[in-house]
Amino acid sequence: MTCLVDTQRPSVGFAAIKLLESAGCVVEVPPAQTCCGQPAYNAGDRRTARDLAVGIVAAFKDFDYVVVPSGSCAGMLKHHLPHLFDEDPNLRDEADALASRVYELVSFLTDVLEVKDTGARYDGTVTYHDSCSGLRELGIKQQPRDLLRAAGATVVEMAEPEICCGFGGLFCVKYPEISVRMVSDKTKDIVATAADTLLAGDMGCLMNMAGRLQREGHKVQVRHIAEVLAGMTDDLPPIGEPRG
C-alpha cells in the first residue's frame, strides 16, 4: 500500500484487497514494506531512495506480482527504482526482476487477470482524471473507463483529462503558484463536465483536486476508482469530507 493510502485513505487499500481477492488472488501485505522512495528520488536524494529500495526489493522478492493502487508509486517501482542500482549488477538484477512483476491495480485487473466486470454497480455520472505517471509511464487510459462503464457508470470526459492537476509530488511544494494555477484550470474542466463524481487512481492527484474543488465551493464528490469498483462508496464519505 502507498504512503498516502496508509495515512490518508486506508479504505483504498481495503478496496484494492477486495478487488484482488474477488478476482481469485491471495493477497499479502508485507509488514516490512516502506515508502517506495519516490519523494527522495524526486528531490535528488539518491542515497535515501536507494536505501529504501534495498528494503523494497527484499520485502517483495518472493511474490508473483506486486500490485499498487497508485500509478505514481507503480511507475517508481517499475521504471525508476532499478536505476538506483546501476553500479551494482547483483542488486540491479533483483530490482529488474521486481520491476517486471509490478502493476498498477486497475491495469493488473484488466490486462493480467482479464477482469471485464468487478460486479460493483455505480449509478452516477463520473469524470476520470488520467494521472501523469499512470498514463505516461504505465499506459493506463482505457482500462478504468471500461470497468466503470461495466459497473453502470456514465463516463463524461473532461476537455483535457490528460493534463496534470498540478500536484506532481514535490512540484506543488517547490512551485506553489504554478501548482495552484494548474489545479484551478483542472477544476474548471471538471466542473464543466457536470459530473457528480471525480475519479482517479492516485491519492496525491485526488487530494489536490478535492481540496481545490472544496475551496472553490463546488459540490463534486471525489473518490479513488478502487472504492467505486469495489462497491464501497455507500460506507465511505468522499475524499476530503469528514466522516459522518
Side-chain angles (χ1 to χ4, degrees), residues 117-198:
D117 188 336
T118 65
R121 291 296 171 262
Y122 191 79
D123 183 18
T125 302
V126 307
T127 192
Y128 193 85
H129 166 70
D130 298 299
S131 74
C132 295
S133 295
L135 175 68
R136 295 170 178 83
E137 292 186 333
L138 303 175
I140 300 166
K141 177 69 175 181
Q142 194 59 40
Q143 301 96 318
R145 292 164 170 83
D146 289 343
L147 290 181
L148 288 168
R149 292 189 174 101
T154 300
V155 181
V156 181
E157 295 290 355
M158 291 178 240
E160 297 181 309
E162 299 179 355
I163 296 297
C164 177
C165 73
F167 179 69
L170 296 178
F171 178 86
C172 65
V173 177
K174 295 172 67 176
Y175 307 104
E177 293 182 358
I178 299 174
S179 176
V180 169
R181 176 60 184 272
M182 292 173 72
V183 74
S184 296
D185 289 344
K186 176 61 70 171
T187 57
K188 290 178 184 177
D189 206 356
I190 294 164
V191 172
T193 68
D196 54 62
T197 304
L198 167 67

Side-chain angles (χ1 to χ4, degrees), residues 3 48 120 139-141 153 174 182 199 207 213 219-220 229 231:
C3 297
T48 298
I140 300 166
K141 177 69 175 181
K174 295 172 67 176
M182 292 173 72
L199 301 176
M207 292 170 61
L213 285 165
K219 304 299 181 182
V220 180
L229 296 179

